[in-house]
Each structure stands twice: as C-alpha cells, then as structure tokens.
Amino acid sequence: MNRPAEGLVVRTGSLVVAAGFLWVTLNVLVAPKYGVVRWPRVGVPVAAAVVLVVLVLAVVASRGLVRRLEERPWLRRVLLLVALLAMFAVQVRLGYSIRFNPGWDAGFLETQTRGIVDGTIPVESVAATLAAYPNNLFLASLMTRFWEQWLGAGHTDGDLGLVLVNAAVLCASVVFVYLAARRLGGPATAYVASLFCVVFVGVSPWIGVVYSDTVGMLPIAVLAYLAVLLRDVTGWARPLLWLAVGVVGALGYAIKPTVVFAVLALVAVTVLTTAWRTWSSRDALLRVGAVLGLGVGAVIGLQATTLTIDAAELSPPPGQTGAAFPVSHFLMMGAAEKPGPYNPYYGAYRDEDALATLAVPIGEERERHGFEEYKARVSAMGPVGYARFLNDKATWTMGDGTFFMYGEGSMAAVPTPFAHGSATDRQVQSFLGLHGDRFWMVADTWQAFWLVVLLLMAAPLVLRDRDLDSLPAAAMRAGLLGLVLFVLFFEGRSRYLYLYLPFFLLLASTAVVAIARRVRPEREAQRDAETDAEVAPAG
C-alpha cells in the first residue's frame, strides 16, 4: 500500500524542491529577513535543534504507547475527540480576546458584508468595489450568508461569531490532516502532525481574522486526504475521488486562487507516475472516468460558487466585469520593495502600485502597464540584482514563523485597538498581542517550530523512505513548489503560506518518523512498520 513514487521526473523534482528548502533554511539561519517580529538569531535556532531531537526521541520512546492505543481504538478516538474539543475551546477564547477590526481586505469583508445584511450598506456599492477584487467574491458571499444566519438568530456579538467560524474551519482542517497522516505514514506520523497542528493551528496567529488564509486551509487539508486516498484506492472508486478533487479544488480556488497549485500538482504527479505502457480496456475506462470525474467536479464546484455569488447579489455590475486588477499588476508589485521595521519588505502590497494601476484605463492598456513597469524594475536591478532580490524575497517570505501576523495594513498600530478588555482578555493579549510583554514567548516558539518544519522539508536529500517517497508526498511537494514560485515572482508575504500548512506539516511529520526509523533497532523498526501498515486506514 505504501509504494514509492515511480518516475525519474517526480523523484528529481522532489529532490529539487528539497534542495530549495534547504537553501532557504540556511539563508534564514545565516542572514534572516524579518517581518513584524525579530527573533533571537542564536536562541531560536538552538531551540529548534532541541525541538527536532525531542520529537525524534519521543517517536522512538512512545512506540509502546502508540501500540497500546492502537489496540484500544475507542479509547484513542475518545481522547482525540476530547483534544479536538479542547483545541476548539482554546481557539475561541484566544481569538475573541485578540479580536479587532484588522482593516485591509479582511476588515473590509467583515464590515461590508455585515452592513449588507443589517441594511446600513447598499449591496450595489460592495459589488462595485469587489469588481476589482474578484478573488474575494465567493468569500464575501459566504460571509453574507453567515451574517444572515447569525444576526437573524438574534446574536449581536459579531466578534464571537467570526471567531467561532474560524475555529470550526481550522479544527476541521486539523481532522483531515490527522486522517491524511494516518494513511500516509501511520499512527506515529498522525500524532506528530497533531503536535505541529497544536502549535500552528491550535494557537493560530490568524485565529482572530476570518479571511481566505484560514478558510482556505480546509480545502488544502481535504485535498491532502484525497491525495492519500487516491494512492490507496483502486477500481471505480478512483473516478469518484477525482470528482471530489474537482469539487474541492474549484471551491478552494474560489476562496483562494493559490489552491489551484494543489490540484495541478496532484494531476501532474499522477500523470507522471502512471504506467502508460501497460494498458487494458479496464485501465482505459478508469482513466477516462478519472478525467471526466475531475472535469465534472470542477464544473460543479465553479457552478456552486457562481450561484452563491449571484444569490448574494455580489456579481460585478454591468460595465465593470473587466475591472479586476490584471495579473501583470501583481507581477509588477512582486518586483518592488518597501520599508519594514527591520529590513525591506520584498514584493509586499504597496498603495502606490495599486493607485498607479487604477489610474490606467481598464483593458489592454492596464495589462500592458503592469508588464512594462515590471520589466523596468527588473532592468533597473540587473540580472545579478534581481537574483539577489529573489533570494532575499524567498528568505523573507519563507522564513517567518508568525506568518506575517500583525503585518497587514495598520495592524501593528500602537497600542493595538483590541475590542475586548476584561482581565482574561488582557492576559491573552499579553501573550498574543504584538506589543504584549510575553508575545516573544509565543513568537519565538512559532519560529523555532517553523525552522524545524523548513529543515525537515529537505529530508529527501538524505533519506529514502517509503512514506517520504510516496505519491501523495510527491504531490504535496509539487504543490508547494507552485506556491513558492508564485509568491517569489508575484505579490506575496508569509501570510500566503498559511493555508498550505497541511502540506508542510504532513511532510515534516513524515520526515520526523522517517528519521526515528533510523534511530530504532532494525527489528523494532520493522515491527512498527508492520503495525503502521495494519492500522493506517483506521481513524
């Protein structure tokens, strides 16, 4: 059931991706580029090394406990359910305490969609504004439906409602990460992945902000699970799974366009590892069914998004269907710098770029403006300068374990305008508020664990392992490659990585267990491998 990915192209691609992550990790350690938070250059890497050693040793030492839990499935499931409910409760508490209107796009969606429902804002004005940002149309429509239900039920505390939504989506994502990890590498991998989820999702840096970075994590987690199922399932169930990939991918794309990289990666790896020379009539029918399933699923998902947007009356008004910022605008913005508190921000949003694009008439001229400005900026840097810029941008974007928390808009204002100020709220804010006395503890913990994740992404360079080399792992690496290339050349920052945490954490957890297999005595490692193979599909 756990077979290595076939094909020189896929194996080579995995090594290239691993080498890229190793290069970024070394850059982050040697010459870090900071976001809103600056971390100790010695203390955090040392802590990361300790975390990695402890994780590996914990996997080795807990094999007996893991085996006993597998022998008692109902106990295991009860414990996991209790842990999930506790995570949900903690997320709601933390998110509520650090709630405030974030401003930027997320704040716009919060206030405008609520205004539509309570009648204070005309839906036509919101639709006209969103015509320039069609990537937010589906999420805005979903939020409008949320406000209809929340306010219609008599609730007035919007902060609580938003945090409940965020916590529910993030916890659902954790469930799919856990299920994918069990199938991908067995119980030990699932428990390591769960620990990573506690750090980055349970105590989420974005728990207080409902936006595509958190909501979009769910389709990525589901796609990860579907990728593992596609490895394990044979026969006519495969076209149905591809149908699900199409639906989830289309819905995810409508929430966050970068979800498309996960779907394309899964398709590409499947095509490259299929034994095309060994055909039978049954194989041909199954492959045609898979193609049809993916296509039909995508159509269903896209149609569902269109109907949802139309029902919310947020479709672009007549004459504004072409008002969206062109692709060249984001390419242009991705080749610029702006000042940051510790170093430049590379390829981040800039007001002056947005105003310059809006000043150009809609159509081919606006598209051409972006490309011309991009070429001018790259030419001014020169080949060596642009290469250095991309290297710095990769270091800055990939190296931030807080995922640009408090970095957008005016979220870093002093003091932070928190909406709630009870004694409990202030305690939470001291740990999770940018200007809190204890924020460094949480930020440094995130950073240490993120350095571990980045380093583990390079594991295929030195390890050959049945799970690290599996088809789902190869597809996840390919998806991350697409994401990284996007944020490298277009507008980006570390926040854009957050929804892809399921891929990062699954690959990192698989690497931890693969390392632990090298530490265990061979006989015990083989016995545990057999146990993993027997129980992996179970929940």
Side-chain angles (χ1 to χ4, degrees):
M1 187 171 60
N2 291 312
R3 56 184 184 273
E6 300 170 354
L8 181 61
V9 174
V10 171
R11 175 61 184 166
T12 302
S14 291
L15 292 176
V16 169
V17 173
F21 275 106
L22 179 60
W23 176 259
V24 169
T25 305
L26 293 175
N27 276 338
V28 173
L29 292 172
V30 174
K33 305 295 182 183
Y34 303 103
V36 181
V37 180
R38 187 168 188 166
W39 42 271
R41 292 182 59 177
V42 175
V44 167
V46 169
V50 172
V51 168
L52 179 56
V53 171
V54 170
L55 281 174
V56 172
L57 294 179
V59 172
V60 174
S62 63
R63 57 182 181 262
L65 176 61
V66 169
R67 192 176 300 112
R68 284 192 290 274
L69 284 173
E70 294 307 312
E71 293 168 353
R72 299 166 177 82
W74 286 109
L75 174 61
R76 183 185 72 248
R77 290 165 186 162
V78 169
L79 292 175
L80 290 171
L81 178 61
V82 171
L84 185 67
L85 292 175
M87 176 184 289
F88 179 82
V90 169
Q91 286 176 325
V92 173
R93 176 67 268 180
L94 299 181
Y96 190 79
S97 293
I98 62 172
R99 269 290 305 165
F100 64 95
N101 188 327
W104 55 285
D105 295 4
F108 173 86
L109 292 183
E110 288 180 11
T111 57
Q112 300 295 301
T113 54
R114 179 169 182 166
I116 291 172
V117 175
D118 65 22
T120 59
I121 299 176
V123 66
E124 295 81 8
S125 68
V126 179
T129 302
L130 288 176
Y133 302 93
N135 58 298
N136 281 329
L137 280 172
F138 184 51
L139 182 58
S141 303
L142 293 177
M143 292 183 70
T144 301
R145 291 287 170 256
F146 158 74
W147 287 120
E148 288 176 353
Q149 298 299 317
W150 184 256
L151 298 177
H155 302 297
T156 58
D157 192 340
D159 288 342
L160 178 59
L162 291 170
V163 172
L164 286 171
V165 168
N166 238 9
V169 170
L170 291 175
C171 283
S173 301
V174 170
V175 170
F176 280 101
V177 170
Y178 172 82
L179 294 175
R182 280 188 68 88
R183 279 192 169 269
L184 179 62
T189 304
Y191 296 139
V192 176
S194 299
L195 175 61
F196 279 127
C197 284
V198 168
V199 175
F200 291 112
V201 184
V203 187
S204 168
W206 288 104
I207 185 60
V209 180
V210 176
Y211 196 52
S212 53
D213 308 289
T214 53
V215 179
M217 185 184 292
L218 182 55
I220 291 295
V222 175
L223 287 170
Y225 183 57
L226 291 173
V228 184
L229 286 178
L230 280 167
R231 178 198 62 179
D232 297 340
V233 172
T234 59
W236 290 103
R238 290 182 64 82
L240 294 177
L241 288 176
W242 280 111
L243 176 74
V245 170
V247 173
V248 175
L251 294 175
Y253 174 81
I255 294 171
K256 191 77 165 182
T258 53
V259 170
V260 73
F261 299 128
V263 178
L264 293 177
L266 183 54
V267 172
V269 169
T270 301
V271 169
L272 290 171
T273 56
T274 296
W276 294 103
R277 296 181 181 179
T278 57
W279 280 74
S280 67
S281 57
R282 184 173 183 273
D283 290 336
L285 288 174
L286 286 175
R287 288 163 186 171
V288 170
V291 172
L292 290 175
L294 179 63
V296 171
V299 170
I300 292 173
L302 292 174
Q303 185 63 23
T305 64
T306 300
L307 292 175
T308 303
I309 294 169
D310 290 343
E313 301 180 3
L314 288 175
S315 300
Q320 289 191 281
T321 53
F325 281 100
V327 173
S328 62
H329 165 78
F330 302 100
L331 182 66
M332 168 191 72
M333 194 177 292
E337 299 178 3
K338 73 175 185 180
Y342 305 107
N343 46 249
Y345 285 175
Y346 302 90
Y349 173 85
R350 302 199 317 165
D351 285 326
E352 53 267 43
D353 283 342
L355 294 173
T357 298
L358 290 173
V360 179
I362 295 173
E364 293 183 4
E365 187 177 351
R366 181 176 286 188
E367 185 82 36
R368 188 166 54 252
H369 162 77
F371 285 123
E372 290 175 351
E373 184 62 29
Y374 168 76
K375 289 187 289 186
R377 293 177 183 182
V378 172
S379 297
M381 295 183 204
V384 175
Y386 188 49
R388 184 181 299 112
F389 169 83
L390 292 177
N391 186 68
D392 290 341
K393 186 178 181 182
T395 305
W396 178 69
T397 304
M398 301 295 296
D400 181 9
T402 71
F403 299 96
F404 212 50
M405 183 187 189
Y406 294 107
E408 300 288 359
S410 58
M411 292 184 72
V414 182
T416 307
F418 292 117
H420 308 285
S422 70
T424 302
D425 294 328
R426 289 194 298 271
Q427 281 289 335
V428 173
Q429 291 158 13
S430 71
F431 284 97
L432 289 178
L434 176 61
H435 310 295
D437 296 338
R438 304 177 183 89
F439 181 62
W440 65 271
M441 298 180 186
V442 180
D444 288 358
T445 300
W446 281 330
Q447 189 64 44
F449 272 84
W450 184 240
L451 289 178
V452 171
V453 171
L454 287 179
L455 182 61
L456 289 171
M457 294 296 296
L461 292 173
V462 294
L463 287 176
R464 292 301 301 268
D465 181 84
R466 67 178 194 274
D467 300 326
L468 274 177
D469 296 335
S470 65
L471 298 182
M476 291 179 208
R477 286 191 201 95
L480 292 178
L481 175 61
L483 175 69
V484 170
L485 290 176
F486 174 79
V487 298
L488 195 60
F489 289 99
F490 293 83
E491 177 197 355
R493 44 261 196 215
S494 55
R495 174 173 63 83
Y496 286 20
L497 308 180
Y498 191 71
L499 79 159
Y500 267 84
L501 271 180
F503 283 14
F504 280 107
L505 302 188
L506 284 167
L507 291 171
S509 304
T510 303
V512 170
V513 175
I515 296 170
R517 289 195 185 107
R518 303 304 189 274
V519 176
R520 300 175 186 176
E522 185 62 29
R523 183 178 301 175
E524 299 234 14
Q526 180 63 30
R527 185 175 62 181
D528 289 345
E530 293 171 355
T531 301
D532 288 350
E534 292 172 1
V535 303

